[in-house]
Amino acid sequence: MEPIIEIKDLSYAYPDGKQALKDISLTVQSGEKIALVGPNGAGKSTLLYHLNGIFTGQGKIYLGGMELNKQNLGAIRAFVGLVFQNPDDQLFSTTVFEDVAYGPIYQGMDPATVQSRVEEALKAVHMEGYARRNPYHLSGGEKKRIAIATVLSMQPQVLVFDEPTSGLDPRARRELIELLQELPQTLLIATHDLSMVRILTPRTVILNQGSIVADGPTEEILRDEELLFVNGLR
């Protein structure tokens, strides 16, 4: 089976010369739920931002068989939904409906299709009835759900999350993890939340100093105390 994500020899340096990624190669099959873990500055977010063309490094990336390049960028950004750590980076309209509808409208969909997409996305995150609410008046957990809905309205096959449980209280965190368990898409999640990793992602990849240092079953990796310690995870 062709992988849904294939990264080959990806390297990236910031404009100041700092090497953020070094020869990253990673294959992801459809339906997998994978955690990216590692210390601050390991390259987790930088890797995620390559998957829909925010950053462009040296190497090859294929998503659903499409090579990531300028010609395919529009299709790639519909195929891969990126949910930022801070939902305020994703919500900018005066109503939830406008935020969730933005992607389908931008793609030129007719009003009936836009309406259907918004309703389906809000239902998927258990936020029916919030369409006319102002996003800025919502709780942190509610904002996270709406941010996910803005991506789901594009019907992506891959969802990429940067620290999804960051800043949430225990109840909102638990509810978000339960939501992520329900989603059928392939998930790639950058996080420091190892408790969530144990619950949610059968496979874990450790990054450190821009390189993959471990990739395997989550339970095996989380049992390896030395591996976790030397990579800043204990």
Side-chain angles (χ1 to χ4, degrees):
M1 184 181 298
E2 183 178 34
I4 196 166
I5 300 172
E6 189 172 13
I7 302 170
K8 297 181 177 180
D9 303 319
L10 177 65
S11 295
Y12 178 77
Y14 289 113
D16 64 4
K18 182 183 185 310
Q19 192 72 32
L21 299 175
K22 305 172 187 175
D23 296 321
I24 296 287
S25 292
L26 183 68
T27 299
V28 178
Q29 298 298 331
S30 180
E32 282 198 279
K33 289 179 168 58
I34 300 175
L36 294 178
V37 302
N40 290 332
K44 302 185 297 296
S45 297
T46 303
L47 177 57
L48 296 188
Y49 294 164
H50 275 79
L51 295 181
N52 71 350
I54 294 176
F55 291 165
T56 303
Q58 302 298 314
K60 296 287 187 181
I61 300 176
Y62 299 89
L63 297 141
M66 298 179 287
E67 183 175 355
L68 180 56
N69 55 36
K70 288 183 179 179
Q71 290 72 29
N72 291 331
L73 193 56
I76 293 290
R77 286 180 172 168
F79 189 83
V80 179
L82 173 59
V83 182
F84 293 102
Q85 177 176 346
N86 185 349
D88 288 336
D89 293 336
Q90 213 139 358
L91 306 176
F92 50 83
S93 301
T94 56
T95 68
V96 166
F97 182 92
E98 291 173 302
D99 271 326
V100 180
Y102 178 82
I105 291 173
Y106 182 78
Q107 284 202 323
M109 297 178 188
D110 63 86
T113 302
V114 171
Q115 180 72 35
S116 176
R117 290 287 190 95
V118 172
E119 291 174 358
E120 290 173 7
L122 291 177
K123 182 178 180 181
V125 298
H126 309 298
M127 296 292 280
E128 304 99 318
Y130 278 71
R132 299 304 168 190
R133 298 279 297 274
N134 187 319
Y136 298 102
H137 298 162
L138 302 179
S139 70
E142 290 170 336
K143 286 182 178 181
K144 291 265 189 179
R145 288 173 178 266
I146 298 304
I148 296 170
T150 68
V151 169
L152 292 180
S153 67
M154 300 291 288
Q155 298 185 346
Q157 294 192 42
V158 176
L159 290 173
V160 175
F161 292 88
D162 192 6
E163 298 287 356
T165 59
S166 174
L168 297 182
D169 63 39
R171 178 179 178 179
R173 173 185 173 276
R174 182 182 69 252
E175 291 174 346
L176 182 68
I177 292 171
E178 291 171 354
L179 170 62
L180 297 182
Q181 288 176 308
E182 296 173 6
L183 295 175
Q185 288 88 352
T186 303
L187 302 186
L188 200 58
I189 304 171
T191 183
H192 289 96
D193 187 343
L194 296 186
S195 297
M196 179 191 69
V197 169
R198 189 182 297 276
I199 296 168
L200 182 63
T201 56
R203 178 180 168 194
T204 294
V205 175
I206 299 179
L207 273 72
N208 202 348
Q209 297 183 351
S211 298
I212 292 177
V213 297
D215 179 357
T218 293
E219 284 300 327
E220 290 183 13
I221 285 179
L222 294 186
R223 282 198 303 264
D224 191 333
E225 294 286 342
E226 183 177 357
L227 177 67
L228 298 178
F229 179 77
V230 300
N231 288 287
L233 297 168
R234 275 286 184 268

